[in-house]
Amino acid sequence: MSTATVQGTPGLSPVPPEPPPATPNYLNNSSGIWSWLTTVDHKRIGILYLISITVFFLAGGVAAGIVRLNLLSPEGAIVNEDTYNRSFTAHGVLMLFFFLIPSIPAVLGNFLIPMMIGAKDLAFPKLNLASWYVFMIGAVFGVWAILAGGIDTGWTLYPPYSTRASQTNVVPGVIGVFITGFSSIMTGLNIMVTIHKMRAPGMTWGRLPLFVWSLYATSLIQLLGTPVIAITLTLIGVERVAGVGIFDPELGGDPLLFQHLFWFYSHPAVYIMIVPGMGVISEVVTCFSRKNIFGYHAVAWSSMGIAVVGFLLWAHHMFVAGISYYSALLFSFLSMLVAVPSAIKVFNWTGTLYRGSITFQAPMLFALGFLVLFVIGGLTGLFLATLGTDIHLHDTYFVVAHFHFVMVGGMVMGYFAGLHFWWPKMTGRMYSDWWSRVAAAIIIVGFFFTFVPQFILGYHGMPRRYPNYPAEFQVYNVMSTAGASILGIGYLLPAFYLTLSLFFGEKASANPWSATGLEWVSPSPPPPFNFDEEHMPVVVAGPYEYALGIDQLGRGLPESPGTVDDPSSRAGGHTGPAGPMQKETEVVG
Amino acid sequence: MNSLPPLIPVAASTLAYDFEAIFWYVTAICSIGGLLVYAGLLYFCIVYRRGRTTGSTPRILGSARLELAWTVIPTIIFFSFFGWGAVVYTKAVHPPPDAMEIFIIGKQWMWKAQYPNGQRIIIGGNPRNMTEAERNSIGKLVLPVNRPVKLTMISEDVIHSFGVPAFRIKMDVLPGRYTNQWHHPVRVGEYHIYCDQYCGTWHSLMVGKVAVIGEQEFDDWLNGLGNQHGGSHAVDGSLAQEGQQLFLKLQCIKCHSANNQAAAPVLENLFGSRIPLKGGGAEIVDAEYIRQSILKPRARVAQGWEPIMPSYEGQVSEADLNALVAYIRSLHKGGTPDRTEQFPKPVGAPTERSLGEKKE
């Protein structure tokens, strides 16, 4: 360990006084349902998305409940095969297209990107509102398809089953997903332009919070990938309705063509789902360990690396689908490359904790849960990228468990971490500290019980999408269902305490976590245009100067929650976080 | 509820052992890597928790050397996974040239297997729509132990996937295009076959068994002898099938029918059994006994039957007798053809049965 040159440290800056509550704030500056339905305020649109996707999350959760309950018995405990097939399809479609893809980008991204970069709104506020309407129109088709009998193809919609054999509502479902795709493109475009053009003075690319970097990478995927799924779904509809042979070999088509097109979007789409979660973790881990992020550039560029390399490995979903030997080798090789940036991120987050001062409020518990679960999710992905192991594990519960470890253990934990982190900012209220920690603990425990047995099932060969199964698999299925019921309780708890906080919660200060980002400068909840229009922010510091104790405006940070040392021992501001201080930059390793 | 299955599922082919080796290699490396990260997380969370630390932290921005290390080392490890995995995959997708080829047809929701000599089997199907007897006679994919076999697969409708966990491989079965996989079974036993690609309502019932049997047993089975595992009884072109034609042509079926009023015993499952004789004593049915019963039928008559059978001496050649013996040897329960009053039609002519099958 050595010491290096002193960073250009801002002079002593006092902790700013608590800003007065915004009058009006974005929630109460107009009222009535119409004011919400016609709003162009990015924060209100974020809330519209939040309410919408919460409904879909619950609906998708109910479908998952049917699936798991049915698997209690080898014969299928509660529903027949057709109902089961419709349930797992509904679960997949709702969770992926109507919850995970919009979750962090459209809720937290919408709300926070302008605030984090010091802008009054997104670049195209009306486009932003339009994206929500487009999303809801697509959702209407999707819900119609599911309620009017359902779809039984699985979310992957493989033809010729989906175009020839399925007797269910494939076309409305496909139209629904097609339409929501445009909403995703609009949000991605909006966020990307905003980040390029609307950063506050001094907010250089090297000072962007990592959440902004991660959403920039996500937007890139959304812009480039989503049109491909749009044309693919259109072709499915054309073949199904008009009988034009595109994928069905009986009509002269090629079923593998669909799989190539589908995964060309849907593999990058899993990075649309996970990369924003990684952004949240960078924010939360730094704040609750009071440390600069370890390796800012490595973390930022690894997001971009994932976004770019993520486009080059779609065919690893097809190793046993009948692709050529040489393309299997190529795509296995490329799949190894994408594991590297994810590993880099995990090491850097762990390094951030080193010599920190860590507290364990709910956002941090969710973030640590993310780290623990994402490590397993990522490592088990290597089994599926490796050809010699994928030939057995493909299409088994091993894949199901891996995918859920990344998507639920990773992204949903990241979403909950972000929701708990920014909830005081969004609503102006604090939620129950104790209940939120309990919920985080229950979710992590329930998650392990649900999905670890599924790895064993998959290793033993139990195929996915089976409503009934050989009796020897029952033990693990019962364990998994038991875990899922714990997980279900864990997910219901936040619905209660977060709702209660709106009415009974303590009023939140502007910066309750003592965080450094620009979004914490404004009062909670923020005024309609985010910042005091007379004093738009001018950025002078990088995003995570917790060690120096200054935010991005160079102002001192308030006392962080969970501080237990004696403030008198920090007289002069040289030892504590409350006062800005001269501090040398240490170099490790 | 059933007890826990074994930790490591049964491995029944050479590839299964290749899979286990690389699977446990990847598992070991990933476990070490994951546990190191967990150890770091746990250690930091305990040692650097607020309370043991004040809110004051050092300003550490990162380390180029560490970044380089934890970029390069994982990359090298991941490429070792790739390399070994590619070796296993290369072996898995290239059948040896001497492998016997079996055709597999997938359709909603059953498998059909066709062997080079005409033996064929239907595997799976929805057992809920079957009688108990039908359930018991569901076919199995019969494979010889210690001999490579190549499966050439195609689908009649949607995409299926043919997977045998005990062999640690699966491959999609596509409409309009052949795919294949090959196995070198090394362990006698019965193992699951699953359809691994979602194919509709009864996807989960498109399952069956593969039966790995001894090499000699397998050769007998190909010729319709021994335990049938749901296969055809007399394979087209085999000696037994020739014997079946004679059995019909010589009107043996008239008396040896599976009919309650039959004038002579039904010959199913007869070969190798011990039968009591009229007038005392017993005989084990072997080729010699059958030959003699055709040529000198009244010499040793089974108990409970009248000596009414005419002698066929001079009417059948030694070659015909061999064929008849092979046929009776292959006759299993339910295998006696329906009795017809007419002279049997030529080989290959449509029968009422086959016409009925086509109508379905």
Side-chain angles (χ1 to χ4, degrees):
Chain A
M1 189 172 295
S2 64
T3 53
T5 53
V6 176
Q7 186 83 6
T9 313
L12 289 178
S13 23
V15 179
E18 175 71 17
T23 46
N25 63 43
Y26 83 100
L27 290 168
N28 65 11
N29 72 326
S30 59
S31 61
I33 187 85
W34 195 243
S35 77
W36 280 84
L37 292 178
T38 57
T39 182
V40 290
D41 184 336
H42 66 102
K43 299 182 289 303
R44 283 193 162 198
I45 295 168
I47 300 293
L48 289 177
Y49 267 113
L50 173 65
I51 295 165
S52 323
I53 70 164
T54 302
V55 172
F56 296 126
F57 182 64
L58 290 175
V62 168
I66 294 173
V67 167
R68 279 283 15 130
L69 281 176
N70 196 57
L71 291 173
L72 275 174
S73 136
E75 301 300 318
I78 55 169
V79 292
N80 64 21
E81 284 86 352
D82 278 327
T83 310
Y84 180 90
N85 295 340
R86 286 161 168 78
S87 299
F88 75 68
T89 306
H91 171 65
V93 170
L94 286 171
M95 288 300 198
L96 290 171
F97 295 113
F98 297 103
F99 172 70
L100 279 175
I101 288 179
S103 62
I104 291 184
V107 177
L108 300 177
N110 245 328
F111 197 100
L112 293 164
I113 290 290
M115 297 195 71
M116 283 183 156
I117 64 173
K120 290 180 183 176
D121 205 315
L122 284 169
F124 308 115
K126 287 176 185 159
L127 185 72
N128 195 16
L129 180 65
S131 87
W132 182 74
Y133 276 100
V134 169
F135 175 75
M136 292 310 286
I137 292 169
V140 166
F141 276 92
V143 170
W144 167 37
I146 288 164
L147 291 184
I151 311 169
D152 74 344
T153 60
W155 77 279
T156 47
L157 288 163
Y158 273 19
Y161 184 77
S162 61
T163 58
R164 188 207 302 173
S166 176
Q167 303 296 315
T168 54
N169 302 323
V170 174
V171 171
V174 160
I175 292 173
V177 175
F178 175 85
I179 294 173
T180 53
F182 285 95
S183 144
S184 180
I185 294 173
M186 290 175 190
T187 302
L189 176 77
N190 219 339
I191 287 177
M192 198 170 218
V193 173
T194 307
I195 295 171
H196 267 282
K197 304 302 288 182
M198 299 181 65
R199 283 169 287 129
M203 181 59 92
T204 59
W205 289 90
R207 284 176 178 165
L208 282 179
L210 289 165
F211 179 76
V212 179
W213 268 109
S214 75
L215 276 183
Y216 186 85
T218 306
S219 303
L220 187 73
I221 309 172
Q222 286 176 310
L223 274 178
L224 297 180
T226 316
V228 180
I229 193 72
I231 190 64
T232 313
L233 295 174
T234 308
L235 292 176
I236 284 276
V238 166
E239 177 164 301
R240 190 173 166 91
V241 173
V244 177
I246 297 156
F247 304 126
D248 186 348
E250 203 155 87
L251 305 170
D254 177 3
L256 287 192
L257 174 64
F258 172 84
Q259 296 177 24
H260 281 293
L261 290 171
F262 180 82
W263 291 116
F264 186 83
Y265 166 75
S266 294
H267 189 74
V270 303
Y271 299 118
I272 295 179
M273 300 174 214
I274 188 66
V275 172
M278 295 169 162
V280 171
I281 300 310
S282 298
E283 301 296 317
V284 172
V285 165
T286 49
C287 177
F288 289 87
S289 58
R290 317 304 301 167
K291 281 282 301 295
N292 293 68
I293 189 86
F294 196 95
Y296 175 89
H297 287 97
V299 177
W301 283 103
S302 60
S303 291
M304 298 305 292
I306 290 174
V308 173
V309 180
F311 274 107
L312 305 177
L313 28 100
W314 72 89
H316 69 206
H317 295 265
M318 301 166 63
F319 287 154
V320 299
I323 60 170
S324 85
Y325 166 68
Y326 294 102
S327 60
L329 292 186
L330 176 69
F331 281 101
S332 174
F333 182 83
L334 291 169
S335 301
M336 295 300 166
L337 292 181
V338 86
V340 177
S342 302
I344 291 173
K345 279 179 186 284
V346 169
F347 292 133
N348 279 301
W349 289 322
T350 310
T352 303
L353 297 177
Y354 171 67
R355 294 181 67 195
S357 180
I358 305 165
T359 55
F360 300 97
Q361 285 88 358
M364 186 61 167
L365 289 184
F366 280 111
L368 290 171
F370 173 104
L371 283 173
V372 169
L373 301 178
F374 180 74
V375 164
I376 297 180
L379 289 172
T380 50
L382 291 163
F383 289 78
L384 302 169
T386 302
L387 288 165
T389 43
D390 182 66
I391 51 175
H392 170 55
L393 300 172
H394 202 90
D395 282 333
T396 67
Y397 261 82
F398 194 95
V399 177
V400 176
H402 156 70
F403 187 64
H404 283 81
F405 257 88
V406 179
M407 290 294 111
V408 186
M411 182 61 169
V412 179
M413 294 300 275
Y415 175 67
F416 272 75
L419 201 58
H420 284 79
F421 189 52
W422 285 294
W423 184 262
K425 179 57 61 186
M426 296 166 81
T427 64
R429 300 282 184 165
M430 297 302 289
Y431 47 84
S432 160
D433 184 49
W434 192 81
W435 278 107
S436 58
R437 294 186 199 213
V438 168
I442 290 178
I443 288 173
I444 294 169
V445 170
F447 187 89
F448 264 97
F449 271 101
T450 309
F451 292 106
V452 169
Q454 295 187 7
F455 280 122
I456 303 169
L457 282 172
Y459 170 52
H460 282 252
M462 176 163 165
R464 57 199 292 212
R465 299 175 171 175
Y466 266 32
N468 36 49
Y469 51 85
E472 67 256 32
F473 292 144
Q474 188 176 16
V475 178
Y476 294 120
N477 273 301
V478 169
M479 281 164 69
S480 180
T481 303
S485 41
I486 299 174
L487 191 57
I489 292 168
Y491 282 140
L492 284 177
L493 279 178
F496 288 109
Y497 64 73
L498 289 180
T499 309
L500 288 177
S501 79
L502 296 177
F503 304 102
F504 307 108
E506 196 187 322
K507 281 204 162 37
S509 65
N511 192 357
W513 309 118
S514 182
T516 53
L518 292 185
E519 74 272 29
W520 304 104
V521 170
S522 300
S524 307
F529 291 102
N530 300 343
F531 300 99
D532 180 352
E533 297 197 40
E534 306 292 313
H535 302 96
M536 287 302 283
V538 176
V539 176
V540 299
Y544 306 111
E545 295 294 0
Y546 289 102
L548 297 179
I550 55 167
D551 65 12
Q552 288 200 271
L553 298 182
R555 312 177 309 165
L557 291 173
E559 190 86 6
S560 69
T563 301
V564 292
D565 60 326
D566 181 5
S568 63
S569 71
R570 291 188 262 112
H574 287 282
T575 56
M581 65 211 81
Q582 301 282 121
K583 203 173 250 181
E584 287 179 333
T585 301
E586 292 187 22
V587 175
V588 297
Chain B
M1 201 185 297
N2 296 275
S3 58
L4 286 169
L7 177 66
I8 296 177
V10 59
S13 73
T14 51
L15 182 69
Y17 288 95
D18 294 337
F19 169 89
E20 288 299 315
I22 182 173
F23 177 83
W24 288 107
Y25 168 69
V26 178
T27 304
I29 299 284
C30 288
S31 302
I32 293 168
L35 289 174
L36 281 178
V37 173
Y38 286 178
L41 285 175
L42 190 67
Y43 180 78
F44 292 161
C45 281
I46 291 171
V47 172
Y48 301 118
R49 68 182 190 273
R50 187 76 50 87
R52 281 189 95 246
T53 54
T54 67
S56 179
T57 55
R59 187 167 185 270
I60 299 172
L61 297 181
S63 155
R65 263 184 277 176
L66 274 178
E67 295 292 348
L68 193 67
W70 62 46
T71 305
V72 171
I73 294 171
T75 307
I76 292 170
I77 292 173
F78 297 164
F79 284 158
S80 79
F81 296 171
F82 163 75
W84 190 346
V87 170
V88 174
Y89 184 76
T90 303
K91 188 177 164 192
V93 299
H94 291 105
D98 61 335
M100 177 179 73
E101 186 169 34
I102 300 171
F103 285 89
I104 302 282
I105 297 171
K107 60 185 245 181
Q108 289 171 325
W109 289 277
M110 65 201 311
W111 303 99
K112 285 195 276 192
Q114 294 171 296
Y115 288 75
N117 76 330
Q119 180 65 278
R120 58 195 183 278
I121 278 188
I122 288 178
I123 306 159
N126 181 359
R128 295 191 192 169
N129 296 345
M130 294 180 182
T131 63
E132 187 61 35
E134 284 172 324
R135 257 198 292 275
N136 291 334
S137 70
I138 292 175
K140 296 166 192 143
L141 179 68
V142 181
L143 298 180
V145 72
N146 295 329
R147 220 188 273 174
V149 292
K150 172 187 174 186
L151 307 182
T152 299
M153 309 182 293
I154 196 160
S155 164
E156 285 187 9
D157 38 49
V158 302
I159 301 176
H160 304 281
S161 186
F162 190 88
V164 182
F167 296 160
R168 305 290 194 278
I169 190 169
K170 57 178 55 83
M171 192 59 71
D172 281 9
V173 180
L174 303 172
R177 182 193 296 189
Y178 286 119
T179 54
N180 53 61
Q181 58 180 264
W182 74 280
H183 307 296
H184 190 116
V186 293
R187 197 169 177 282
V188 170
E190 290 195 2
Y191 313 106
H192 287 292
I193 297 168
Y194 298 119
C195 175
D196 286 294
Q197 186 61 269
Y198 176 72
C199 61
T201 305
W202 285 319
H203 167 54
S204 62
L205 299 175
M206 193 168 165
V207 297
K209 285 280 169 70
V210 49
V212 176
I213 59 178
E215 290 188 81
Q216 182 56 48
E217 206 186 330
F218 179 78
D219 289 335
D220 286 348
W221 172 83
L222 273 185
N223 290 315
L225 308 177
N227 182 354
Q228 289 306 294
H229 301 287
S232 313
H233 286 202
V235 178
D236 289 355
S238 68
L239 197 59
Q241 202 245 1
E242 198 182 314
Q244 185 188 26
Q245 298 292 320
L246 282 170
F247 192 76
L248 299 172
K249 181 176 163 190
L250 297 172
Q251 299 292 339
C252 313
I253 185 68
K254 260 195 152 171
C255 299
H256 292 286
S257 67
N259 185 321
N260 288 339
Q261 282 92 48
V266 68
L267 305 179
E268 296 168 0
N269 286 342
L270 181 70
F271 196 88
S273 67
R274 186 185 163 86
I275 56 161
L277 295 180
K278 199 178 178 105
E283 189 74 44
I284 290 183
V285 179
D286 55 9
E288 175 51 35
Y289 175 75
I290 292 172
R291 184 174 183 279
Q292 199 196 34
S293 298
I294 296 169
L295 299 178
K296 295 189 172 61
R298 297 180 192 188
R300 284 180 281 175
V301 179
Q303 193 170 25
W305 299 94
E306 293 304 315
I308 56 169
M309 179 165 159
S311 167
Y312 282 77
E313 201 154 16
Q315 298 184 49
V316 288
S317 67
E318 286 300 330
D320 291 346
L321 281 168
N322 287 343
L324 282 165
V325 168
Y327 174 60
I328 289 164
R329 194 176 163 192
S330 77
L331 248 185
H332 284 270
K333 187 126 189 73
T336 308
D338 291 343
R339 182 175 158 178
T340 57
E341 297 304 323
Q342 297 137 356
F343 200 72
K345 295 193 173 76
V347 179
T351 63
E352 269 181 55
R353 268 188 167 183
S354 68
L355 285 174
E357 271 171 18
K358 271 177 196 153
K359 258 181 253 161
E360 280 169 9

